[in-house]
Amino acid sequence: MIALTRMRLNGFVHGGRATAPLITVLAVLFILYSGGPSSASAAYSYSAACLFPILAWLAKLVLDTEPDAQRRLARLAVGPVREATAGLLAAVILCAGVCVLGMLAPLPFRAVRGPEPGSLEPSLPAGVLLGVLAHVLAVAAAVTLGALASRAVTRRILPGVAILVSGSILTVVLGLSDSIAPWLAPPVMATSRALSGRVAPSAVDLTVLIAWAALWCTVVLSLYARLRRDRS
């Protein structure tokens, strides 16, 4: 499975598909961090929310890199579970690399600061840890959405693009504070709100966000696995 994951990563990078997402990521991070300093938890929560649709796009591109015939041969060689896991692992590795870039991007701009005197904002180390959590939750949700939009499930380009775009939009719309069904979307926006407040989120709030993300990803990945099994 490791060899299959490495092969997919090499195919994606050397095939030139990484260029457009990388340029988009750099543009988003430049716009995001060139406006002045803010607390670490707020800055990184905005970064995770802004990167989410790009990470989902990146995950779909990674999963779509391998030709259909080669994917079927890999399923026969290593089994359907290990073959599917290798694709998801490749997507997670690339998305995690983008998030590392997102965490380091504020440094040249000096866009991250500690708490203001007298405020209840998280300390700088705590803000960085909360930022890591925000990016981890964004990666999990983005890879899940990208997988559902991949060619192995949709078979054609247009339905995959429609799922990717509508899923990204609904994540924002359903994630608004006055949404009537926020649980239908991953907690990307809810995490951003919780981490960008003037007060550090409680352990209970963080636990709810983590459980929400885990449940959403489990349900959607189960749907992905079933559709992929029936259509591959």
Side-chain angles (χ1 to χ4, degrees), residues 21-229:
L22 179 59
I23 293 175
T24 306
V25 166
L26 293 176
V28 168
L29 292 177
F30 177 80
I31 295 172
L32 183 64
Y33 290 125
S34 60
S38 63
S39 65
S41 60
Y44 288 133
S45 67
Y46 294 146
S47 169
C50 291
L51 289 178
F52 169 76
I54 306 175
L55 295 175
W57 175 30
L58 181 65
K60 173 176 166 53
L61 290 178
V62 174
L63 295 172
D64 287 352
T65 298
E66 190 175 39
D68 293 336
Q70 184 173 317
R71 185 179 68 251
R72 295 188 182 99
L73 288 175
R75 286 170 63 88
L76 293 175
V78 302
V81 175
R82 298 180 68 184
E83 183 271 329
T85 303
L88 294 175
L89 181 58
V92 168
I93 291 173
L94 285 173
C95 289
V98 171
C99 288
V100 171
L101 178 62
M103 294 290 294
L104 296 176
L107 300 181
F109 299 96
R110 297 182 179 179
V112 170
R113 58 165 175 79
E116 296 179 344
S119 71
L120 298 177
E121 294 176 336
S123 64
L124 183 58
V128 172
L129 290 177
L130 290 173
V132 172
L133 174 62
H135 283 86
V136 168
L137 297 183
V139 166
V143 171
T144 301
L145 176 59
L148 190 63
S150 64
R151 190 178 66 249
V153 172
T154 63
R155 295 183 179 179
R156 292 181 294 135
I157 295 177
L158 186 58
V161 173
I163 291 175
L164 185 67
V165 174
S166 60
S168 299
I169 294 175
L170 287 175
T171 297
V172 176
V173 174
L174 295 176
L176 297 176
S177 58
D178 57 349
S179 172
I180 60 174
W183 44 270
L184 289 177
V188 175
M189 300 300 292
T191 303
S192 180
R193 282 195 304 272
L195 271 58
S196 60
R198 304 293 294 180
V199 180
S202 66
V204 174
D205 292 336
L206 295 178
T207 301
V208 170
L209 292 173
I210 294 172
W212 179 356
L215 180 60
W216 188 88
C217 290
T218 300
V219 171
V220 178
L221 282 177
S222 299
L223 177 61
Y224 162 72
R226 180 175 180 178
L227 292 174
R228 198 176 192 273
R229 182 179 62 251

